[in-house]
Amino acid sequence: MKNTPVDPFRSIVPPLYLGISYEFNSVEEGAQIFENPALGYAYGRMGNPTVTAFEKWLAKVEGVKEGSVWATSSGLSALSLLFWGLTAKSLGRPKRVVISPYIYGGSFHQLQLWRNDHDCEVVFVDNPFSLFSWEKAIKPGAAFVFLETPTNPTLDIFDIKTIAKIAHTYNTFLVVDNTVTPVLQKPLELGADAILYSVTKALNRQSTGLGGALIGSPRFLQETEKTLNDYHISTGAIMHPLSAYFTLLNRTTLQRDMELFSANALQVAQVLEGHTKVKKVHYPFLPSSANYALARRQMTSGGGLLSFELESFEGARRLVKSLQSARLAPHLGDENENLIIHPASTTHSKLSPEELSKVRISPELVRLSVSLGEMDELISELDEVLKTL
Ligand code: PLP
């Protein structure tokens, strides 16, 4: 996380720096940068100008000052940075974290590891649809509270404003995973203290960069900046410059692309909702969705991810395998490809059958991430394949 100027030559395209070592003018300059890495570049793990340009851009997207973003090697490394930093003894916060169980399977599994193998209490909120349940979980104290909204893969929506208020009542931070809906939802403006992204997904949109980010509000930074800076560098949870570069190249169309993802996903969701072979469609901007009113309050549109339930696991298996216009792959937010997956056996396979059923990921559930292309072919193929099930 740097505040230094990026490009002395003012290239129009963000310059790509792949070098990992930077020459000092003097011993004194080297000592100053090692003392405060925000003052310049020394070594790739301590900062890189292309990654700084990415961090500055993302700070602007979220309306926070430069220096409020930590770019990381993946979304999961942003989560582990958060965990290491906020549960550090030196911060003096409770060694206890409160988590919504409705999260990406990899995040869930990382938190299972923290819970099973480390000296920290990891509390999963019993029923995240009940504010009472949130309050009960947060009240004994927490280093931070973590939720994902919209959720992957069930597209549930949680009330950021109200949960942030509960978190603040008990003197903790609310961190929101906004991976599915960058720019369509502004968690910091709704009262959250930090945002977590898998940059790999909708922020990059071209499947060309694995990355993550943590973005803090001024209040969050005031307490955690020094510690998180230290853990960022010391654990090596840093973003590769190529991931930063490719994501920056695609920056200008982010808003427009997110709106098009939303329009495409809504179109597909509406068609699926009317299909006799589909039991239930999960998309927050369907007026029939239980999440619709809240989604409209806290998001401008729903993003490119939807999921739906068929009548049987066998039907789900056949559908994801047969479609030609959607590729069977574990990823979301790609602008060129429709991507389909069976979450229970892949992205969420580390959850036990009981855990899966608790978060309503059934064997019949299929997740679909739409591209920015025309939806006609996908829609007619879905109809054809569904009719055969
Ligand atoms: N958060 C969400 C909502 C995700 O979907 C993912 C990955 O799919 C992650 C976090 C983890 O990100 P990464 O794969 O970049 O580590």
Side-chain angles (χ1 to χ4, degrees):
M1 190 159 78
K2 298 246 181 215
N3 295 308
T4 45
V6 173
D7 174 26
F9 309 110
R10 300 197 289 169
S11 161
I12 299 301
V13 176
L16 170 61
Y17 289 85
L18 285 172
I20 52 95
S21 186
Y22 300 80
E23 189 177 1
F24 304 131
N25 286 310
S26 63
V27 168
E28 288 71 23
E29 190 192 47
Q32 272 173 0
I33 298 175
F34 265 74
E35 171 66 23
N36 179 5
L39 294 177
Y41 297 98
Y43 180 62
R45 186 168 36 71
M46 296 165 67
N48 169 286
T50 309
V51 176
T52 303
F54 167 82
E55 289 173 337
K56 281 187 179 180
W57 166 73
L58 193 54
K60 206 165 157 200
V61 169
E62 297 299 346
V64 287
K65 69 174 176 39
E66 278 177 21
S68 307
V69 177
W70 291 271
T72 58
S73 56
S74 67
L76 287 191
S77 74
L79 183 59
S80 60
L81 173 64
L82 176 76
F83 189 93
W84 278 120
L86 269 75
T87 61
K89 264 192 206 151
S90 57
L91 273 192
R93 304 187 69 78
K95 237 182 153 39
R96 181 175 187 275
V97 299
V98 172
I99 313 289
S100 164
Y102 282 67
I103 53 178
Y104 162 61
S107 308
F108 192 96
H109 184 54
Q110 185 186 116
L111 287 149
Q112 282 178 321
L113 294 177
W114 294 122
R115 184 185 60 190
N116 298 341
D117 295 343
H118 291 266
D119 181 22
C120 180
E121 199 185 342
V122 175
V123 177
F124 287 103
V125 178
D126 196 37
N127 172 14
F129 297 98
S130 145
L131 293 172
F132 173 74
S133 194
W134 279 100
E135 177 145 17
K136 190 165 158 232
I138 295 171
K139 202 172 176 179
F144 65 89
V145 175
F146 180 69
L147 71 81
E148 190 177 294
T149 183
T151 63
N152 166 11
T154 48
L155 281 305
D156 284 299
I157 305 292
F158 294 112
D159 184 343
I160 297 175
K161 217 180 217 169
T162 309
I163 298 167
K165 271 195 198 135
I166 299 173
H168 296 159
T169 304
Y170 297 103
N171 194 29
T172 187
F173 295 122
L174 175 66
V175 183
V176 174
D177 183 333
N178 195 31
T179 295
V180 177
T181 46
V183 301
L184 304 176
Q185 170 175 272
K186 296 286 177 77
L188 297 182
E189 288 174 14
L190 292 165
D193 302 284
I195 306 173
L196 185 141
Y197 280 115
S198 167
V199 174
T200 323
K201 308 290 175 336
L203 278 172
N204 175 282
R205 302 190 295 300
Q206 294 186 334
S207 305
T208 51
L210 195 64
L214 196 59
I215 301 131
S217 69
R219 193 176 85 90
F220 182 83
L221 259 76
Q222 198 179 20
E223 191 177 330
T224 64
E225 184 175 5
K226 220 167 145 293
T227 308
L228 285 172
N229 281 346
D230 203 4
Y231 273 86
H232 192 209
I233 292 174
S234 300
T235 60
I238 45 129
M239 181 179 273
H240 192 279
L242 274 174
S243 296
Y245 180 72
F246 286 132
T247 307
L248 275 173
L249 289 187
N250 209 15
R251 71 196 181 286
T252 321
T253 54
L254 178 61
Q255 177 79 41
R256 200 175 68 197
D257 291 352
M258 290 311 300
E259 285 165 15
L260 185 51
F261 270 141
S262 303
N264 281 354
L266 182 59
Q267 191 191 349
V268 176
Q270 277 166 337
V271 172
L272 287 173
E273 195 177 34
H275 207 289
T276 49
K277 294 289 177 72
V278 176
K279 250 175 34 192
K280 186 161 178 56
V281 181
H282 301 273
Y283 190 69
F285 272 70
L286 280 176
S288 58
S289 163
N291 296 304
Y292 184 60
L294 178 57
R296 289 198 55 162
R297 273 211 308 279
Q298 70 180 25
M299 300 153 72
T300 52
S301 61
L305 193 69
L306 66 138
S307 59
F308 51 100
E309 287 165 47
L310 300 177
E311 270 149 16
S312 67
F313 165 62
E314 185 49 27
R317 203 179 68 83
R318 275 183 35 210
L319 178 88
V320 299
K321 202 172 130 259
S322 335
L323 283 181
Q324 299 297 308
S325 47
R327 300 178 75 169
L328 178 55
H331 184 36
L332 59 96
D334 185 286
E335 62 187 37
N336 297 304
E337 302 286 348
N338 301 310
L339 300 170
I340 199 153
I341 197 88
H342 178 250
S345 62
T346 57
T347 57
H348 289 69
S349 58
K350 288 280 200 292
L351 277 71
S352 67
E354 296 73 43
E355 286 164 339
L356 281 173
S357 130
K358 201 158 181 206
V359 295
R360 303 191 303 208
I361 300 177
S362 69
E364 301 91 41
L365 184 78
V366 169
R367 187 190 81 184
L368 176 64
S369 169
V370 297
S371 72
L372 297 182
E374 298 290 337
M375 291 292 105
D376 301 353
E377 196 185 325
L378 174 66
I379 287 172
S380 68
E381 208 200 346
L382 274 168
D383 180 46
E384 265 167 46
V385 177
L386 283 167
K387 276 187 193 145
T388 68
L389 299 181

